[in-house]
Structure formats: structure tokens, C-alpha cells
Amino acid sequence: MVTDSVLLDNYGRGRQEAMELTEQFASEQSLPHKEVLRLCLLSEEMIGMVREITGEFEGRFCIRGDNTGCVLQLVCETFMDSRKRRELLAVSSSGKNEAAKGFMGKIRDIVENYLLFYDEEGQQAFQAGEMDAGFLSMGMDNKTAGGGSNLLDMQMWSFRRYKDSAAKSGGNIKETDVWDELEKSIVARLADEVQVGIKNGKVELDIFRKY
């Protein structure tokens, strides 16, 4: 089953409709009440992330699945340019986006970076080290994390790969911070997988949940 899609933007449009769509999907699949609540929490986290995306933004939200599992899907477009992104980074003393706190904040940062991939200035800024690629690289597979000269080499970020990388990081402070971050995140605890990638020239965010 694939639901209808709901148009979301970072001004709050579509929020209520998306939540109603989640409840309708859960009802049609005859899911137990606890599972309905979990799906609503995941949808709410995704919608909340949308409202924090920088610049003019639109995304289409839908749900694919059945009574065994589903994917919450957001296909994103933006009118943000790299100048706006640089201005955001400039307000931070570290030169990085300090607003990207917590798991979903960092997912949002990946989405924002991906939305700049087709902007030549955005690619140059990334290659010059003006954007923080640390969280990105931990979720990339070996093929896409190899440091290619073009950002299009980095097609897909995966939560599973991120957790695997964190588990192999050697028990240092960064690893401790990673696990603390994951334990506090609703999405990290409820989702079986989260993927962010480029598909047909648009950014796609998928949150997977098995019942």
C-alpha cells in the first residue's frame, strides 16, 4: 500500500494532514494502539525536522507498507542556495552548523547538505572543508565514503552503517557521545533503519519500521 502524499514545508504547512495520514494508514492496517503511537511519534519527528530546514523548502510525505512494516518517506526540494548556507555557518565560532544537535538535527544537516549537491558553489564549499562531513562519512559505505572529488559520489547515508561505524570507533569520547545521542533519540530507538539519499535529482529521507 502507498498512501496519498502530503505537501510539507518549513512554515508548518501540511503538518496536521501528515499526522492524520499516519493515523489513517495505521487504522487501515489494523495496527495495535502502541504501534499507532510509535508511527505517530516517528512522523512527528520527521515533520519537526522539516520545520528546521534552512531556506525555502518543500517536501512530499507519504507512507509505503502493510501490516508487517512500513516506510515513512519524505521527498525534498529546496530553494536554498549555498550563500544562505555559508551565512548560517558563519554565525558559528567553529565555522560549522552548531544547530545540528542530536540525531535528527544531524539528519537535517545531511538533508541540507544533499540539497546543495547540485549547486556548484555548494560542492566547492564542501570540498574546501567548510561543511562538516564527519557524521555523513560514518553512515556511508566504503564505495561512497572514499572521498571522491564530486559530492555525487556520496549517494546514500544509512543509519545501520552509522551504528556499525560507531561500534567500531574504539571506545573513545566520541563513541560515548554517539551512543548517548542514539539513546536519547526517539527515531534512533524506534526506527529499524533511516536512509538519506539522492534519487532522480531530489533528496529522499526514508524511515523504516517493522512491527
Side-chain angles (χ1 to χ4, degrees), residues 11-189:
Y11 298 102
R13 179 171 52 166
R15 183 182 186 281
Q16 184 63 36
E17 291 87 343
M19 295 306 300
E20 290 173 357
L21 185 72
T22 303
E23 292 177 1
Q24 179 183 347
F25 170 84
S27 175
E28 291 178 358
Q29 302 306 319
S30 301
L31 299 182
H33 180 65
K34 286 186 177 179
E35 197 58 55
V36 175
L37 292 178
R38 290 169 183 144
L39 286 185
C40 286
L41 283 171
L42 288 172
S43 294
E44 191 170 12
E45 287 288 308
M46 179 181 275
I47 294 165
M49 183 212 71
V50 166
R51 297 192 65 176
E52 299 298 322
I53 291 177
T54 305
E56 294 184 59
F57 165 88
E58 288 185 350
R60 290 200 169 271
F61 171 84
C62 71
I63 304 176
R64 297 185 287 111
D66 53 28
N67 60 3
T68 65
C70 69
V71 183
L72 308 180
Q73 183 177 86
L74 181 67
V75 180
C76 316
E77 295 182 81
T78 187
F79 305 100
M80 177 177 62
D81 59 24
S82 56
R83 178 186 61 80
K84 180 67 176 177
R85 175 68 175 181
R86 289 198 305 272
E87 289 175 354
L88 175 67
L89 298 179
V91 302
S92 164
S93 59
S94 68
K96 298 176 182 179
N97 184 3
E98 292 186 345
K101 301 292 186 181
F103 181 73
M104 284 307 286
K106 291 179 179 179
I107 293 295
R108 185 201 69 228
D109 205 40
I110 291 176
V111 171
E112 289 186 349
N113 278 307
Y114 270 148
L115 287 168
L116 289 175
F117 275 14
Y118 294 99
D119 181 302
E120 184 176 352
E121 279 190 69
Q123 292 195 22
Q124 292 173 353
F126 193 101
Q127 292 158 18
E130 295 175 19
M131 299 178 185
D132 183 5
F135 188 77
L136 261 174
S137 61
M138 286 182 71
M140 296 293 173
D141 62 24
N142 292 330
K143 294 180 180 179
T144 59
S149 60
N150 192 310
L151 293 181
L152 295 178
D153 291 336
M154 295 165 42
Q155 286 288 325
M156 179 67 71
W157 184 93
S158 164
F159 176 45
R160 288 179 182 173
R161 284 195 292 265
Y162 173 71
K163 287 197 295 184
D164 289 343
S165 296
K168 297 173 183 177
S169 63
N172 55 24
I173 294 175
K174 288 185 178 180
E175 180 187 9
T176 302
D177 291 344
V178 164
W179 288 116
D180 183 59
E181 180 180 84
L182 296 182
E183 287 174 359
K184 291 178 180 178
S185 168
I186 291 173
V187 173
R189 285 188 281 112

